[in-house]
Structure formats: C-alpha cells, structure tokens
Amino acid sequence: MSEIHGIIAYPVTPFVGDSGGGIDTAALAELIERLITAGVHAIAPLGSTGELAYLDENEFDTVVDTTIATVDRRVPVVVGISDVTTARTVRRAEYAQQAGADAVMVLPVSYWKLTEREIVQHYRSISDAVSIPIMAYNNPATSGVDMPPDLLVSMFENIENVRMVKESTGDLSRMRRIGELSGGRLPFYNGSNPLVLDALKAGASGWCTAAPNLRAQPCLDLYEAVRAGSLDKAQLLYDDLKPLLEFIVAGGLPTTVKAGLDLLGFPVGDPRAPLLALDEAGRAHLMTLLRAP
C-alpha cells in the first residue's frame, strides 16, 4: 500500500436525476478523474460527503467498484464502510478489500450510545475479517459516539489493523494527545475543515476533505506550503479558503458540494432525501465563494 498522506479527497456520490435516483457511474468516474488529475493524494469514497448512510448495499458495491476501477492504483483508495450493525460493516469491509481498496474508514454509528467495550469489539470484528488498514473515524457530532485519544491509541496498540485515525471534533488538543500517547506512531488525519491549518502545523499526516471537489488547487497548495515550512503563504491560502470551508460544513457537505459542482457546470444530481438541494440564497452566496481567486 502506498503511504496515505496529504489531500485525501472525498467525492460526492452522483445520482441520476434531480430527486436522487440511482448511482450515476459515469459522473462518478469523471469526478474522480478530475480529482486525480488535479493532484490529490488519495480518494475516499463513501464518507458523509458521499451519502453512505443513504445508500443500499448494491449502491455501496457500485460506488466501490466504480471508484477502484477509475483510480486504477494511481493513488490510495480509502473506502468508508460505516453502518449501525457490525455484520453489515464487516460485509462492506470484506467487499472493499476484495475489490482492491487500500484501507477502510470506520465511524462507530449506533442508535444506542456505545460503551468503550462495544466500540472495541466492533473494530476488532472488522479487523478480524480483513487484512487491510482501518482508519478509525471519530466524529461524535454525526455518529453520537465519541472516541477519546486514549481509546483510539489503545485500539491502535491492541487491534491489529487499526492503523490510522481521522479526528473530526475540531479539538486540536486531541490530535496532539494522540501523538503524545502513541509516541508519534499513530498517524492522525484532520477531518475538521476549518481547523486544517492548525492541524497540519500540529503534525497531521493529511487532510480528509470534500473541498477539492470545488477548489482543489488551493487545498493542495496549502498542504505543500505547510510541508515546506512556508507558514505565511499557508496562512494566506487558508484565509482565502476559510469562507468556503465554513460554508460547506455549515450547509451540509452533500448539499453544498453538489450545488457547487452544479454551479461549476458539472451536475451530479441532488442529494438524497431527507437531504434537500441548496436553496437559491445559498446557491447565490456559494457562487460568490467559488469566484474567489
């Protein structure tokens, strides 16, 4: 597996028609091709941006197959596999591995608040079923389950395939704590768009983001500027990107990113209900953000 680092782009899942029909595989392949051509370092289908929660199993498989065939080993592919049941999460992990994914990303989603014992067993069951790395994804705002740094590091040390962490709480101290507790051995990735500059400066191995769907080059330039130690340049790039990053997060990633792609002349259908398309006021404001230099 190639090292997973840098700008990890999260494509939307295009649907046929305005009401969220089936998967538009041609549009998905073209979107992924655009992201790779732009220079992103990895592709991560089926995150929250990709509306994984609203897809059935056949649609999940279709997105995995289309993504991996399009990427064709040019960059790593990290497939989101999260589900409320361990059994279905395991099935998705096995399918992603068989299809050729380089890693899987798991958010512990549950109607009931999970205990740490249940979280550990969930990840252990997935690890036992596959041999590829698992990215543990902590985003309590969407999952309702919070995994503190000590738990994440413990799973890294005790569950064979838990190899990476995507931290999306927006709490920089958690990222630093992961580094401290693991002695720098556990790679962490920033999943909070507005926090990206501070996270990269704190040693994040990469930025997991939907922003490259709309403005790939500034994201890549920001990452490279931090790597090169050009922090003044990085600050300017971040200041330019920040209004867009805040807008797409506040408005919901599938809703805002799909609207932005449409405004850029690349229609990918509406998000799937209960999500709604961005309203006209939001589209007008988004257009001003996309016109930014």
Side-chain angles (χ1 to χ4, degrees), residues 45-46 52 57 60-61 64-65 68 77-107 121-135 161-162:
L46 299 167
L52 172 60
E57 295 305 282
F60 171 90
D61 295 352
V64 171
D65 292 341
I68 289 174
V77 174
V78 182
V79 176
I81 62 169
S82 309
D83 187 76
V84 294
T85 68
T86 297
R88 196 147 52 215
T89 307
V90 166
R91 188 212 75 85
R92 291 174 173 182
E94 292 173 333
Y95 190 91
Q97 175 173 275
Q98 182 180 16
D102 296 281
V104 291
M105 182 181 70
V106 182
L107 179 75
Q121 185 56 52
H122 183 62
Y123 278 92
R124 191 180 304 281
S125 296
I126 300 161
S127 178
D128 288 346
V130 297
S131 58
I132 56 177
I134 296 168
M135 177 183 284
N161 292 314
V162 174

Side-chain angles (χ1 to χ4, degrees), residues 116 119-120 123-124 134-138 146-167 173-189:
E116 290 197 359
I119 293 169
V120 169
Y123 278 92
R124 191 180 304 281
I134 296 168
M135 177 183 284
Y137 176 18
N138 189 46
D146 190 12
M147 297 188 290
D150 60 338
L151 174 60
L152 291 165
V153 173
S154 176
M155 290 197 300
F156 166 68
E157 292 174 340
N158 294 289
I159 300 176
E160 182 177 3
N161 292 314
V162 174
R163 301 288 91 190
M164 302 169 280
V165 169
K166 177 185 174 184
E167 171 55 58
S173 67
R174 287 183 175 231
M175 297 186 191
R176 292 183 174 133
R177 186 64 176 156
I178 289 168
E180 292 168 359
L181 290 172
S182 70
R185 295 177 298 121
L186 175 55
F188 62 88
Y189 299 77

